[in-house]
Amino acid sequence: MKTQRCLLVGAIVLLGWLGAIPARAQEDRGVWSKRAPLPTPRQEVPHVVLDGKVYVPGGIDAQRQGTRVVEVYDPATDTWTTTAPLPLPLHHLGAAAVRGKLYVLGGYQGNTFVPTSRVFAYDPATDTWAERTPMPTARGAHAAVAFEDEIYVFGGAAGGLAVGIHQVYDPEADAWSARAAMPAPSEHLAAASLDSLIYVVGGRAFEDGRLVNLRDLQVYRPRTDTWRRLALMPTARGGLAAAAASGRLYVFGGETFEGGGGVFPENEAYDPATDTWQTMAPMPVPRHGIGAATVDGAIYVIGGGPVAGFSTSAENSVFVPPPTPTAYEADALLPERAALYPNFPNPFRSVTTIRFAVPVATEASLTVYDVLGRAVATLFEGRVAPGVHAVRWEARRQPGGVYLCRLWAGRHVAIRPLTLLR
């Protein structure tokens, strides 16, 4: 293995670069389109990606009832199927996928707002559910995120109040443990993982005896169990959804009860490289109580409520982010030297986005190599302006395995591993 690594590094240093398409900053705000509607209109539903399909479990149906329904959307065929129902009706539930199984964690039971701590695991191979060790804290309207084969559960409501409780579940050991609490407690919040961090955004909490929407963006680093607070989201909102794509965090929808109530059409994107927000193309049908799921770089936002409070929708909208995030020209926001950021998603099945930044205009190239040191894709070669740039690699014809992405920019070289799943 050591010899192979040495050969690989040598091959990367010696190989020449092929010409291709330059990466350019774009002002595009992304594009929305419609897909096959959700068979059972519902709100307060999480979205979970498992084997390239979007699972939509539970929620509140058109009769204002908690439901056991689990429906699955296949983006490849634009079709829906139904799996074995949840063991009990749940809404405002948390859900995540780890090692080929879907986990449902907590939520409100039946037609009540009584939180549960129960946890269930769904196995697609047998179309069956099994009960697992319950959460230490019963709660609903929380957020669950899978990260490195564990499930992190943030915030939510327990005893009618927003909490900052943060716990992690290990499916292999079927065990729970506590983690550092959120700096700003909230419920009806959203969360998503991006690179090596988990971003927790928005939600609502009681302040001075009234329920208010929040703008907080909190980032959690699992490896050090630490939190940081980042640039505030432009629009304060709860009941929103979040997903990561193209190296950025996208936040959709939400609701307010002020001034008679309303639903937000806002779609805002956060760029971790610059700690800034950008307004993107608004949702074609504003909704709250939604989830968001990323499949091959596109974000699916399904169901939800088009009116504040109780309402349901069968809307299935897909958002395709701009192919290249905006390049920011402010020198203070850029690294001192060229930087190659982790690709997202990673591992990936067919498409991933690779971001890099350069502090000054320069000649640059971005190339992908296999483990034998052979160039398999030259993503671009040319002159780039100062800023943060991104390019998608569509690897549908490549075999699964580990690849290396090499950035050359002026005198600087950076290399990162990419993992393609098959």
Side-chain angles (χ1 to χ4, degrees):
M1 180 61 72
K2 183 175 180 180
T3 300
Q4 186 181 50
R5 285 198 299 266
C6 292
L7 289 173
L8 177 56
V9 173
I12 290 174
V13 172
L14 294 174
L15 282 171
W17 319 120
L18 301 174
I21 302 172
R24 302 180 187 281
Q26 298 189 10
E27 296 298 333
D28 187 5
R29 298 195 302 158
V31 177
W32 287 94
S33 57
K34 289 192 174 186
R35 295 293 186 268
L38 179 66
T40 305
R42 290 169 277 154
Q43 66 153 286
E44 307 304 344
V45 285
H47 298 1
V48 180
V49 177
L50 180 57
D51 294 330
K53 299 177 182 178
V54 182
Y55 284 70
V56 184
I60 299 175
D61 64 18
Q63 287 70 47
R64 300 190 176 187
Q65 307 288 312
T67 178
R68 299 173 59 199
V69 170
V70 182
E71 292 166 332
V72 184
Y73 177 69
D74 186 346
T77 59
D78 193 28
T79 57
W80 287 90
T81 55
T82 302
T83 71
L86 292 170
L88 72 160
L90 292 170
H91 58 94
H92 292 79
L93 61 157
V98 172
R99 293 187 175 182
K101 291 185 178 180
L102 169 68
Y103 292 84
V104 166
L105 313 102
Y108 296 127
Q109 302 180 71
N111 303 325
T112 73
F113 281 84
V114 176
T116 181
S117 62
R118 297 176 74 178
V119 174
F120 301 97
Y122 173 75
D123 187 345
T126 59
D127 192 30
T128 57
W129 291 90
E131 189 154 10
R132 307 300 295 271
T133 298
M135 292 193 297
T137 305
R139 47 183 153 161
H142 47 294
V145 177
F147 181 83
E148 293 187 347
D149 292 338
E150 293 184 317
I151 301 174
Y152 292 76
V153 181
F154 303 95
L161 297 175
V163 298
I165 297 171
H166 169 205
Q167 295 157 344
V168 63
Y169 175 65
D170 181 344
E172 185 174 3
D174 190 24
W176 287 87
S177 56
R179 293 292 188 272
M182 296 166 55
S186 62
E187 50 98 17
H188 278 86
L189 67 165
S193 63
L194 175 59
D195 298 334
S196 60
L197 304 173
I198 301 176
Y199 293 81
V200 180
V201 61
R204 56 197 187 207
F206 278 98
E207 294 183 1
D208 299 324
R210 65 189 184 95
L211 193 64
V212 298
N213 282 333
L214 304 175
R215 297 172 57 201
D216 295 84
L217 175 61
Q218 308 170 75
V219 63
Y220 176 71
R221 186 182 295 276
R223 293 189 178 94
T224 59
D225 191 30
T226 55
W227 288 90
R228 280 192 305 135
R229 302 180 78 164
L230 302 174
L232 294 174
M233 180 172 56
T235 306
R237 43 194 165 142
L240 69 170
S246 300
R248 293 197 285 185
L249 178 75
Y250 291 86
V251 181
F252 307 93
E255 69 181 330
T256 180
F257 295 107
E258 297 181 359
V263 179
F264 292 103
E266 274 80 2
N267 167 14
E268 294 164 340
Y270 174 77
D271 190 339
T274 58
D275 191 29
T276 58
W277 289 88
Q278 180 183 4
T279 299
M280 309 303 290
M283 299 172 64
V285 179
R287 284 161 288 149
H288 69 95
I290 49 179
T294 304
V295 180
D296 286 344
I299 304 173
Y300 295 82
V301 181
I302 304 168
V307 177
F310 287 109
S311 60
T312 59
S313 170
E315 179 76 11
N316 178 6
S317 303
V318 58
F319 175 71
V320 178
T324 305
T326 301
Y328 296 89
E329 296 183 359
D331 292 342
L333 298 176
L334 296 175
E336 294 181 358
R337 55 185 292 175
L340 178 62
Y341 300 113
N343 62 302
F344 183 84
N346 191 34
F348 65 103
R349 293 193 178 277
S350 57
V351 180
T352 191
T353 298
I354 302 165
R355 295 180 306 133
F356 69 94
V358 292
V360 297
T362 186
E363 295 294 325
S365 66
L366 193 68
T367 310
V368 177
Y369 298 87
D370 64 16
V371 294
L372 298 179
R374 298 173 298 198
V376 299
T378 301
L379 303 180
F380 73 85
E381 184 179 55
R383 190 167 184 81
V384 289
V388 181
H389 303 268
V391 62
R392 282 159 55 97
W393 180 34
E394 296 192 7
R396 302 183 205 282
R397 297 183 180 180
Q398 297 296 333
V402 176
Y403 293 81
L404 291 183
C405 180
R406 177 191 187 275
L407 169 69
W408 169 82
R411 302 181 189 178
H412 302 297
V413 174
I415 299 173
R416 282 193 178 272
L418 320 175
T419 302
L420 175 60
L421 301 178
R422 282 288 183 254

